[in-house]
Coordinates of all heavy atoms in Angstrom, one line a residue:
M1 N -87.1 -127.7 54.0 CA -86.3 -126.9 54.9 C -86.8 -127.2 56.3 O -88.0 -127.1 56.5 CB -86.6 -125.4 54.5 CG -85.9 -124.5 55.4 SD -86.4 -122.7 55.0 CE -88.0 -122.7 55.8
S2 N -85.9 -127.3 57.2 CA -86.2 -127.7 58.6 C -86.2 -126.2 59.3 O -85.7 -125.2 58.7 CB -85.2 -128.6 59.2 OG -84.0 -127.9 59.4
A3 N -86.7 -126.2 60.6 CA -86.6 -125.0 61.4 C -85.2 -124.6 61.6 O -85.1 -123.3 61.9 CB -87.4 -125.3 62.6
S4 N -84.2 -125.4 61.6 CA -82.9 -124.9 61.8 C -82.2 -124.5 60.5 O -80.9 -124.3 60.6 CB -82.1 -126.1 62.6 OG -82.2 -127.2 61.8
A5 N -82.9 -124.4 59.4 CA -82.3 -124.1 58.1 C -83.1 -122.9 57.5 O -84.2 -122.9 57.7 CB -82.1 -125.2 57.3
I6 N -82.4 -122.2 56.6 CA -83.1 -121.3 55.8 C -82.7 -121.4 54.4 O -81.7 -122.1 54.1 CB -82.8 -119.8 56.2 CG1 -81.2 -119.5 56.1 CG2 -83.2 -119.5 57.7 CD1 -80.7 -118.1 56.3
D7 N -83.6 -121.0 53.5 CA -83.4 -121.0 52.0 C -82.9 -119.6 51.6 O -83.7 -118.6 51.9 CB -84.6 -121.5 51.3 CG -84.7 -122.9 51.5 OD1 -83.8 -123.7 51.6 OD2 -86.0 -123.4 51.5
V8 N -81.9 -119.5 50.7 CA -81.5 -118.2 50.1 C -81.5 -118.5 48.6 O -81.4 -119.5 48.2 CB -80.2 -117.6 50.7 CG1 -80.3 -117.3 52.2 CG2 -79.2 -118.6 50.4
T9 N -81.7 -117.4 47.9 CA -81.8 -117.4 46.5 C -80.4 -116.9 45.9 O -80.0 -115.8 46.2 CB -82.9 -116.6 45.9 OG1 -84.1 -117.1 46.5 CG2 -83.0 -116.8 44.4
L10 N -79.8 -117.7 45.0 CA -78.6 -117.2 44.4 C -78.9 -116.5 43.1 O -79.9 -116.5 42.5 CB -77.8 -118.5 44.1 CG -77.4 -119.4 45.2 CD1 -76.7 -120.6 44.8 CD2 -76.7 -118.7 46.4
P11 N -77.9 -115.8 42.5 CA -78.1 -115.0 41.4 C -78.7 -115.7 40.1 O -79.4 -115.1 39.4 CB -76.6 -114.5 40.9 CG -75.9 -114.4 42.3 CD -76.4 -115.7 43.0
D12 N -78.4 -117.0 40.0 CA -79.0 -117.8 38.9 C -80.4 -118.2 39.1 O -81.1 -118.9 38.3 CB -78.1 -118.9 38.5 CG -78.2 -120.1 39.7 OD1 -78.8 -119.9 40.8 OD2 -77.4 -121.1 39.5
G13 N -81.0 -117.8 40.4 CA -82.4 -118.1 40.6 C -82.6 -119.3 41.4 O -83.7 -119.7 41.8
S14 N -81.4 -120.1 41.6 CA -81.5 -121.4 42.4 C -81.6 -121.1 43.9 O -81.1 -120.0 44.4 CB -80.4 -122.3 42.1 OG -79.2 -121.8 42.5
A15 N -82.2 -122.0 44.6 CA -82.3 -121.8 46.1 C -81.2 -122.7 46.7 O -81.0 -123.8 46.2 CB -83.7 -122.2 46.6
R16 N -80.7 -122.2 47.8 CA -79.8 -123.0 48.6 C -80.1 -123.0 50.1 O -80.5 -122.0 50.6 CB -78.3 -122.4 48.4 CG -77.3 -123.4 49.1 CD -76.0 -123.1 48.3 NE -75.1 -124.1 48.7 CZ -74.6 -125.0 47.9 NH1 -75.0 -125.2 46.7 NH2 -73.7 -125.9 48.2
S17 N -80.2 -124.2 50.7 CA -80.5 -124.2 52.1 C -79.2 -124.3 52.9 O -78.4 -125.0 52.7 CB -81.3 -125.6 52.2 OG -81.7 -125.7 53.7
V18 N -79.1 -123.4 54.0 CA -78.1 -123.3 54.8 C -78.5 -123.2 56.4 O -79.7 -123.0 56.4 CB -77.2 -122.0 54.5 CG1 -76.6 -122.1 53.2 CG2 -78.1 -120.7 54.6
P19 N -77.7 -123.6 57.2 CA -78.2 -123.4 58.6 C -78.7 -122.0 59.0 O -78.2 -121.0 58.4 CB -76.8 -123.7 59.4 CG -76.2 -124.7 58.5 CD -76.4 -124.1 57.2
A20 N -79.5 -121.8 59.9 CA -80.2 -120.6 60.1 C -79.3 -119.6 60.7 O -79.5 -118.4 60.5 CB -81.4 -120.9 61.2
S21 N -78.2 -119.9 61.2 CA -77.2 -119.0 61.8 C -76.0 -118.6 60.8 O -75.1 -118.0 61.2 CB -76.5 -119.5 63.1 OG -75.9 -120.7 62.8
S22 N -76.3 -118.9 59.5 CA -75.3 -118.7 58.6 C -75.0 -117.3 58.1 O -75.9 -116.5 58.2 CB -75.6 -119.5 57.3 OG -75.6 -120.8 57.5
T23 N -73.7 -117.0 57.8 CA -73.3 -115.7 57.3 C -73.0 -115.9 55.8 O -73.1 -117.0 55.3 CB -72.1 -115.3 58.0 OG1 -71.0 -116.2 57.6 CG2 -72.2 -115.1 59.5
A24 N -72.8 -114.7 55.1 CA -72.6 -114.7 53.7 C -71.3 -115.6 53.5 O -71.3 -116.3 52.4 CB -72.4 -113.4 53.1
L25 N -70.3 -115.5 54.3 CA -69.2 -116.3 54.2 C -69.4 -117.8 54.4 O -68.9 -118.6 53.5 CB -68.0 -116.0 55.2 CG -66.7 -116.7 55.1 CD1 -66.2 -116.6 53.7 CD2 -65.7 -116.3 56.2
D26 N -70.3 -118.2 55.2 CA -70.8 -119.6 55.4 C -71.4 -120.0 54.1 O -71.1 -121.2 53.7 CB -71.8 -119.7 56.5 CG -71.1 -119.3 57.9 OD1 -70.0 -119.7 58.1 OD2 -71.9 -119.0 58.8
L27 N -72.2 -119.2 53.5 CA -72.8 -119.6 52.2 C -71.7 -119.8 51.2 O -71.8 -120.8 50.4 CB -73.8 -118.4 51.8 CG -74.3 -118.6 50.3 CD1 -75.3 -119.9 50.2 CD2 -75.1 -117.4 49.9
A28 N -70.8 -118.9 51.1 CA -69.7 -119.1 50.1 C -69.0 -120.4 50.3 O -68.6 -121.2 49.4 CB -68.8 -117.9 50.1
Q29 N -68.7 -120.7 51.6 CA -68.0 -122.0 51.9 C -68.8 -123.1 51.6 O -68.3 -124.2 51.2 CB -67.6 -122.0 53.4 CG -66.5 -121.0 53.7 CD -66.3 -120.8 55.2 OE1 -67.2 -121.0 56.1 NE2 -65.0 -120.5 55.6
S30 N -70.2 -123.0 51.7 CA -71.0 -124.2 51.3 C -71.0 -124.4 49.8 O -71.3 -125.5 49.4 CB -72.4 -123.9 51.9 OG -73.2 -123.1 51.0
I31 N -70.8 -123.4 49.0 CA -70.8 -123.6 47.6 C -69.4 -124.1 47.1 O -69.3 -124.8 46.3 CB -71.0 -122.2 46.9 CG1 -72.4 -121.7 47.2 CG2 -70.8 -122.2 45.4 CD1 -72.8 -120.3 46.8
G32 N -68.3 -123.6 47.8 CA -66.9 -124.2 47.5 C -65.9 -123.4 48.1 O -65.9 -122.1 48.4
S33 N -64.8 -124.0 48.4 CA -63.6 -123.4 49.1 C -63.0 -122.3 48.3 O -62.6 -121.3 48.8 CB -62.6 -124.4 49.6 OG -62.1 -125.1 48.5
R34 N -62.9 -122.5 47.0 CA -62.4 -121.5 46.1 C -63.1 -120.2 46.2 O -62.6 -119.1 46.2 CB -62.2 -122.0 44.7 CG -61.1 -123.0 44.5 CD -61.1 -123.5 43.1 NE -59.8 -123.6 42.6 CZ -59.5 -123.9 41.4 NH1 -60.4 -124.2 40.4 NH2 -58.2 -123.9 41.0
L35 N -64.4 -120.3 46.1 CA -65.3 -119.2 46.1 C -65.1 -118.4 47.5 O -64.9 -117.2 47.4 CB -66.8 -119.5 46.0 CG -67.8 -118.3 46.1 CD1 -67.5 -117.3 44.9 CD2 -69.3 -118.9 45.9
A36 N -65.1 -119.1 48.6 CA -64.9 -118.6 49.9 C -63.6 -117.9 50.0 O -63.5 -116.7 50.6 CB -65.1 -119.6 51.0
K37 N -62.5 -118.3 49.4 CA -61.2 -117.7 49.5 C -61.2 -116.5 48.6 O -60.4 -115.6 49.0 CB -60.1 -118.7 48.9 CG -59.8 -119.8 50.1 CD -58.8 -120.7 49.4 CE -58.6 -121.9 50.5 NZ -57.6 -122.9 49.9
A38 N -61.9 -116.5 47.5 CA -61.8 -115.3 46.7 C -62.9 -114.3 47.1 O -62.9 -113.1 46.5 CB -62.2 -115.8 45.2
A39 N -63.9 -114.5 48.0 CA -64.9 -113.6 48.5 C -64.3 -112.4 49.1 O -63.5 -112.6 50.0 CB -65.9 -114.4 49.3
V40 N -64.9 -111.2 48.8 CA -64.5 -110.0 49.5 C -65.7 -109.3 50.1 O -65.6 -108.4 50.9 CB -63.7 -109.0 48.6 CG1 -62.4 -109.6 48.2 CG2 -64.5 -108.6 47.4
A41 N -66.9 -109.8 49.6 CA -68.2 -109.0 50.1 C -69.3 -109.9 49.6 O -69.2 -110.9 48.9 CB -68.2 -107.6 49.6
A42 N -70.5 -109.5 50.0 CA -71.8 -110.1 49.6 C -72.8 -109.0 49.2 O -72.7 -107.9 49.8 CB -72.3 -111.0 50.6
V43 N -73.6 -109.4 48.2 CA -74.7 -108.4 48.0 C -76.0 -109.2 48.5 O -76.3 -110.3 47.9 CB -74.9 -108.1 46.4 CG1 -76.1 -107.2 46.2 CG2 -73.7 -107.4 46.0
I44 N -76.6 -108.6 49.4 CA -77.7 -109.3 50.2 C -78.9 -108.4 49.9 O -78.8 -107.3 50.4 CB -77.5 -109.5 51.6 CG1 -76.1 -110.4 51.8 CG2 -78.8 -110.2 52.3 CD1 -75.7 -110.5 53.2
G45 N -79.9 -108.8 49.2 CA -81.1 -108.0 48.9 C -80.8 -106.7 48.2 O -81.3 -105.6 48.5
G46 N -79.8 -106.7 47.4 CA -79.4 -105.6 46.6 C -78.4 -104.7 47.2 O -78.0 -103.7 46.6
E47 N -78.0 -104.9 48.5 CA -77.1 -104.0 49.3 C -75.8 -104.7 49.5 O -75.8 -105.9 49.9 CB -77.6 -103.6 50.6 CG -78.9 -102.7 50.5 CD -79.4 -102.4 51.8 OE1 -78.7 -102.3 52.8 OE2 -80.6 -102.1 52.0
E48 N -74.7 -104.1 49.2 CA -73.4 -104.7 49.5 C -73.2 -104.8 51.0 O -73.4 -103.8 51.6 CB -72.2 -103.9 48.8 CG -70.9 -104.6 48.9 CD -69.8 -103.9 48.1 OE1 -69.9 -103.8 46.9 OE2 -68.9 -103.5 48.7
R49 N -72.8 -106.0 51.4 CA -72.5 -106.2 52.9 C -71.2 -106.9 53.1 O -70.7 -107.4 52.3 CB -73.6 -107.1 53.4 CG -75.1 -106.5 53.3 CD -75.5 -105.7 54.5 NE -76.8 -105.1 54.3 CZ -77.9 -105.7 54.6 NH1 -77.8 -106.9 55.4 NH2 -79.0 -105.1 54.5
D50 N -70.8 -106.9 54.4 CA -69.6 -107.6 54.8 C -69.9 -109.0 54.7 O -71.1 -109.6 54.9 CB -69.3 -107.1 56.2 CG -68.0 -107.7 56.6 OD1 -67.0 -107.1 56.3 OD2 -67.9 -108.7 57.3
L51 N -68.9 -109.9 54.6 CA -69.2 -111.4 54.6 C -69.6 -111.9 56.0 O -70.2 -113.1 56.0 CB -67.8 -112.0 54.2 CG -67.4 -111.9 52.7 CD1 -66.0 -112.3 52.5 CD2 -68.4 -112.6 51.8
S52 N -69.4 -111.2 56.9 CA -69.9 -111.7 58.3 C -71.4 -111.4 58.6 O -71.9 -111.7 59.6 CB -69.1 -111.0 59.4 OG -69.3 -109.6 59.4
S53 N -71.9 -110.7 57.6 CA -73.5 -110.5 57.7 C -74.3 -111.6 57.7 O -74.0 -112.6 56.9 CB -73.9 -109.6 56.4 OG -73.2 -108.4 56.4
P54 N -75.3 -111.7 58.7 CA -76.0 -112.9 58.8 C -77.1 -113.0 57.6 O -77.4 -111.9 57.0 CB -76.9 -112.6 60.1 CG -76.9 -111.2 60.3 CD -75.5 -110.7 59.7
L55 N -77.5 -114.1 57.3 CA -78.5 -114.4 56.2 C -79.8 -114.6 56.9 O -79.9 -115.3 58.0 CB -78.0 -115.6 55.4 CG -76.7 -115.4 54.6 CD1 -76.4 -116.6 53.8 CD2 -76.8 -114.1 53.8
N56 N -80.9 -114.3 56.2 CA -82.3 -114.5 56.7 C -83.0 -115.3 55.6 O -82.7 -115.3 54.3 CB -82.9 -113.2 56.9 CG -82.3 -112.4 58.0 OD1 -82.2 -113.0 59.1 ND2 -81.9 -111.3 57.7
Q57 N -84.1 -115.9 56.0 CA -84.9 -116.7 55.2 C -85.3 -115.9 53.9 O -85.8 -114.7 54.2 CB -86.1 -117.2 55.8 CG -87.2 -117.8 55.0 CD -86.7 -119.1 54.3 OE1 -86.0 -119.9 54.8 NE2 -87.3 -119.4 53.1
G58 N -85.2 -116.4 52.8 CA -85.6 -115.7 51.5 C -84.7 -114.6 51.0 O -85.0 -114.0 49.9
D59 N -83.5 -114.4 51.6 CA -82.6 -113.5 51.1 C -82.1 -113.8 49.6 O -81.9 -115.0 49.4 CB -81.4 -113.4 52.0 CG -81.5 -112.5 53.1 OD1 -82.5 -111.6 53.2 OD2 -80.7 -112.5 54.0
R60 N -81.9 -112.8 48.8 CA -81.3 -112.9 47.5 C -79.7 -112.6 47.6 O -79.6 -111.4 48.2 CB -81.9 -112.1 46.4 CG -83.3 -112.5 46.2 CD -83.9 -111.7 44.9 NE -83.3 -112.1 43.7 CZ -83.6 -113.2 43.0 NH1 -84.4 -113.9 43.4 NH2 -82.8 -113.4 41.8
V61 N -78.8 -113.5 47.4 CA -77.5 -113.4 47.9 C -76.6 -113.7 46.7 O -76.7 -114.7 46.0 CB -77.2 -114.3 49.0 CG1 -75.7 -114.0 49.5 CG2 -78.0 -114.3 50.2
A62 N -75.7 -112.7 46.5 CA -74.6 -112.8 45.5 C -73.3 -112.6 46.2 O -73.1 -111.7 47.0 CB -74.7 -111.9 44.3
I63 N -72.3 -113.5 46.0 CA -71.0 -113.4 46.7 C -70.1 -112.6 45.6 O -70.0 -112.8 44.4 CB -70.4 -114.8 46.9 CG1 -71.3 -115.7 47.7 CG2 -68.9 -114.6 47.4 CD1 -71.5 -115.1 49.1
V64 N -69.5 -111.6 46.2 CA -68.5 -110.7 45.3 C -67.2 -111.2 45.5 O -66.6 -111.3 46.6 CB -68.6 -109.2 45.8 CG1 -67.7 -108.3 45.0 CG2 -70.1 -108.7 45.7
T65 N -66.5 -111.4 44.4 CA -65.0 -112.0 44.5 C -64.1 -110.9 44.1 O -64.5 -109.9 43.4 CB -64.9 -113.2 43.6 OG1 -65.2 -112.8 42.2 CG2 -65.7 -114.3 44.0
A66 N -62.9 -111.0 44.5 CA -61.9 -110.0 44.2 C -61.7 -109.8 42.7 O -61.3 -108.6 42.3 CB -60.5 -110.4 44.8
D67 N -61.8 -110.8 41.9 CA -61.6 -110.6 40.5 C -62.8 -110.1 39.6 O -62.8 -110.0 38.5 CB -61.2 -111.9 39.9 CG -62.0 -113.1 40.0 OD1 -63.0 -113.0 40.7 OD2 -61.8 -114.1 39.3
S68 N -63.9 -109.9 40.4 CA -65.1 -109.3 39.7 C -65.0 -107.8 39.6 O -64.2 -107.2 40.3 CB -66.5 -109.7 40.5 OG -66.4 -109.1 41.7
D69 N -65.8 -107.2 38.8 CA -65.8 -105.7 38.7 C -66.2 -105.1 40.1 O -65.5 -104.1 40.4 CB -66.8 -105.3 37.6 CG -66.5 -105.6 36.2 OD1 -65.2 -105.8 35.9 OD2 -67.2 -105.5 35.3
A70 N -67.2 -105.6 40.8 CA -67.5 -105.1 42.1 C -66.4 -105.3 43.1 O -66.1 -104.4 43.9 CB -68.8 -105.8 42.5
G71 N -65.8 -106.5 42.9 CA -64.7 -106.7 43.9 C -63.4 -105.8 43.7 O -62.9 -105.3 44.6
R72 N -63.1 -105.5 42.4 CA -62.1 -104.6 42.1 C -62.4 -103.3 42.6 O -61.6 -102.5 43.1 CB -61.8 -104.6 40.6 CG -61.0 -105.9 40.2 CD -60.4 -105.7 38.7 NE -61.5 -105.9 37.7 CZ -61.9 -107.0 37.3 NH1 -61.5 -108.1 37.7 NH2 -62.9 -107.0 36.4
H73 N -63.7 -102.8 42.3 CA -64.1 -101.5 42.8 C -64.0 -101.4 44.3 O -63.4 -100.5 44.9 CB -65.5 -101.2 42.3 CG -66.0 -99.8 42.8 ND1 -65.6 -98.7 42.3 CD2 -66.9 -99.6 43.8 CE1 -66.2 -97.6 42.9 NE2 -67.0 -98.2 43.7
R74 N -64.4 -102.4 45.0 CA -64.3 -102.4 46.5 C -62.9 -102.4 47.0 O -62.5 -101.6 47.8 CB -65.0 -103.7 47.0 CG -65.0 -103.8 48.4 CD -65.8 -105.1 48.9 NE -65.7 -105.2 50.4 CZ -66.5 -104.7 51.1 NH1 -67.5 -103.9 50.8 NH2 -66.3 -105.0 52.5
S75 N -61.9 -103.0 46.2 CA -60.6 -103.0 46.6 C -59.9 -101.6 46.4 O -59.2 -101.1 47.3 CB -59.8 -104.0 45.8 OG -58.4 -104.1 46.1
E76 N -60.3 -101.0 45.2 CA -59.8 -99.6 45.0 C -60.3 -98.6 46.1 O -59.6 -97.9 46.6 CB -60.3 -99.2 43.6 CG -59.6 -99.8 42.5 CD -60.3 -99.5 41.2 OE1 -61.3 -98.8 41.1 OE2 -59.9 -100.1 40.2
E77 N -61.6 -98.7 46.6 CA -62.1 -97.9 47.7 C -61.4 -98.2 49.0 O -60.9 -97.3 49.7 CB -63.6 -98.2 47.9 CG -64.4 -97.6 46.9 CD -65.9 -97.7 47.1 OE1 -66.2 -98.6 48.0 OE2 -66.7 -97.2 46.5
H78 N -61.1 -99.5 49.2 CA -60.3 -99.8 50.5 C -59.0 -99.2 50.5 O -58.5 -98.8 51.5 CB -60.4 -101.2 50.6 CG -59.7 -101.8 51.9 ND1 -60.2 -101.5 53.2 CD2 -58.5 -102.4 52.2 CE1 -59.4 -102.0 54.1 NE2 -58.4 -102.5 53.4
T79 N -58.3 -99.3 49.3 CA -56.9 -98.8 49.2 C -56.9 -97.3 49.3 O -56.0 -96.7 50.1 CB -56.3 -99.1 47.8 OG1 -56.3 -100.5 47.6 CG2 -55.0 -98.6 47.7
S80 N -57.9 -96.6 48.9 CA -58.0 -95.3 49.0 C -58.2 -94.8 50.5 O -57.5 -93.8 51.0 CB -59.2 -94.6 48.3 OG -59.0 -94.9 46.9
E81 N -59.0 -95.6 51.2 CA -59.2 -95.3 52.7 C -57.9 -95.5 53.5 O -57.6 -94.7 54.3 CB -60.3 -96.2 53.2 CG -61.6 -96.0 52.7 CD -62.6 -97.1 53.2 OE1 -62.2 -98.0 53.9 OE2 -63.7 -97.1 52.7
L82 N -57.1 -96.5 53.0 CA -55.9 -96.9 53.7 C -54.8 -95.8 53.5 O -53.9 -95.5 54.3 CB -55.3 -98.1 53.4 CG -56.1 -99.4 53.7 CD1 -55.5 -100.6 53.2 CD2 -56.3 -99.4 55.3
Q83 N -54.9 -94.9 52.5 CA -54.0 -93.9 52.1 C -54.5 -92.6 52.6 O -53.9 -91.5 52.3 CB -53.8 -93.9 50.6 CG -53.1 -95.1 50.2 CD -52.8 -95.2 48.8 OE1 -53.3 -94.4 48.0 NE2 -52.0 -96.3 48.3
S84 N -55.7 -92.5 53.2 CA -56.2 -91.2 53.7 C -55.4 -90.6 54.9 O -54.7 -91.3 55.5 CB -57.7 -91.4 54.3 OG -57.5 -92.1 55.5
P85 N -55.3 -89.3 54.8 CA -54.5 -88.6 55.9 C -54.7 -89.2 57.3 O -53.7 -89.3 58.1 CB -54.7 -87.2 55.9 CG -55.2 -87.0 54.4 CD -55.9 -88.3 54.1
D86 N -56.0 -89.4 57.7 CA -56.4 -89.8 59.1 C -55.8 -91.2 59.2 O -55.4 -91.5 60.3 CB -57.9 -89.9 59.2 CG -58.5 -88.5 59.3 OD1 -57.8 -87.5 59.6 OD2 -59.7 -88.3 59.0
H87 N -56.0 -92.0 58.4 CA -55.4 -93.5 58.4 C -54.0 -93.4 58.6 O -53.4 -94.2 59.5 CB -55.8 -94.3 57.3 CG -55.4 -95.7 57.4 ND1 -54.2 -96.3 57.0 CD2 -56.0 -96.7 58.1 CE1 -54.0 -97.4 57.4 NE2 -55.1 -97.8 58.0
L88 N -53.3 -92.7 57.8 CA -51.8 -92.4 57.9 C -51.3 -92.1 59.3 O -50.2 -92.5 59.8 CB -51.2 -91.5 56.8 CG -51.4 -92.2 55.3 CD1 -50.9 -91.2 54.4 CD2 -50.7 -93.5 55.3
V89 N -52.0 -91.0 59.8 CA -51.7 -90.5 61.2 C -51.8 -91.6 62.2 O -50.9 -91.9 63.1 CB -52.5 -89.3 61.5 CG1 -52.4 -88.8 63.0 CG2 -52.2 -88.0 60.7
C90 N -52.9 -92.3 62.2 CA -53.1 -93.4 63.1 C -52.0 -94.5 62.9 O -51.5 -95.0 64.0 CB -54.4 -94.1 62.8 SG -55.9 -93.0 63.3
R91 N -51.7 -94.8 61.7 CA -50.6 -95.8 61.4 C -49.3 -95.3 62.0 O -48.6 -96.1 62.6 CB -50.4 -96.0 59.9 CG -49.9 -97.3 59.6 CD -50.0 -97.5 58.1 NE -48.7 -97.9 57.5 CZ -48.5 -97.8 56.3 NH1 -49.4 -97.4 55.4 NH2 -47.2 -98.1 55.8
L92 N -49.0 -94.0 61.8 CA -47.8 -93.5 62.4 C -47.8 -93.6 63.9 O -46.6 -93.9 64.5 CB -47.5 -92.1 62.0 CG -47.1 -91.8 60.5 CD1 -47.1 -90.4 60.1 CD2 -45.7 -92.5 60.2
L93 N -48.8 -93.3 64.5 CA -48.9 -93.4 66.0 C -48.7 -94.8 66.5 O -48.1 -95.0 67.5 CB -50.2 -92.8 66.5 CG -50.5 -91.3 66.3 CD1 -51.8 -90.8 66.7 CD2 -49.5 -90.5 67.1
L94 N -49.4 -95.8 65.8 CA -49.1 -97.1 66.2 C -47.7 -97.7 66.0 O -47.2 -98.5 66.8 CB -50.1 -98.0 65.4 CG -51.6 -97.9 65.8 CD1 -52.5 -98.6 64.8 CD2 -51.8 -98.3 67.2
E95 N -47.0 -97.1 64.9 CA -45.7 -97.5 64.6 C -44.7 -97.0 65.7 O -43.7 -97.7 65.9 CB -45.3 -97.2 63.2 CG -45.9 -98.0 62.2 CD -45.7 -97.5 60.7 OE1 -44.8 -96.5 60.6 OE2 -46.1 -98.1 59.8
K96 N -45.0 -95.8 66.3 CA -44.1 -95.3 67.2 C -44.3 -96.0 68.7 O -43.3 -96.0 69.4 CB -44.5 -93.8 67.5 CG -44.1 -93.0 66.4 CD -44.3 -91.5 66.7 CE -43.9 -90.6 65.5 NZ -43.9 -89.2 65.9
K97 N -45.3 -96.8 68.9 CA -45.5 -97.5 70.1 C -44.6 -98.6 70.2 O -44.1 -99.3 69.4 CB -46.9 -98.0 70.3 CG -47.8 -96.9 70.6 CD -49.2 -97.3 70.9 CE -50.1 -96.3 71.3 NZ -51.4 -96.7 71.8

């Protein structure tokens, strides 16, 4: 590992070296374009995070995809938020502009 790279640990226990400024999405892209396209979130150090979250040396990282249980749950939560009264009011105001 060079000073400009960090090592993160994947769910299978393997290590992956990525540039020091990498995000969870960058990691997914380094693994494969299909994974990156299917990714909806990441679990970093046991906490669900956005794909734009930066990675740090030694992080344990799992990529959450839309077709996984966690991904489906995340999608259901997002759909509920989009149908909340507050969101609908904002949407109506934007549509009137």
Side-chain angles (χ1 to χ4, degrees):
M1 179 185 77
S2 71
S4 61
I6 59 171
D7 288 329
V8 296
T9 304
L10 303 178
D12 66 359
S14 65
R16 186 153 193 112
S17 184
V18 294
S21 61
S22 293
T23 64
L25 181 57
D26 295 328
L27 172 64
Q29 289 170 333
S30 78
I31 295 170
S33 61
R34 288 177 134 184
L35 177 62
K37 287 178 186 176
V40 294
V43 176
I44 303 171
E47 294 182 27
E48 189 172 300
R49 303 268 180 93
D50 188 84
L51 289 168
S52 64
S53 298
L55 301 177
N56 297 303
Q57 173 63 32
D59 279 345
R60 295 188 66 81
V61 186
I63 303 298
V64 178
T65 59
D67 61 350
S68 67
D69 288 340
R72 283 191 289 277
H73 179 72
R74 183 177 172 87
S75 179
E76 289 169 4
E77 285 181 349
H78 182 68
T79 301
S80 297
E81 289 173 11
L82 292 178
Q83 294 175 352
S84 71
D86 290 340
H87 183 269
L88 294 175
V89 168
C90 290
R91 197 165 132 204
L92 287 172
L93 291 173
L94 289 173
E95 287 175 359
K96 286 186 177 182
K97 287 187 174 186

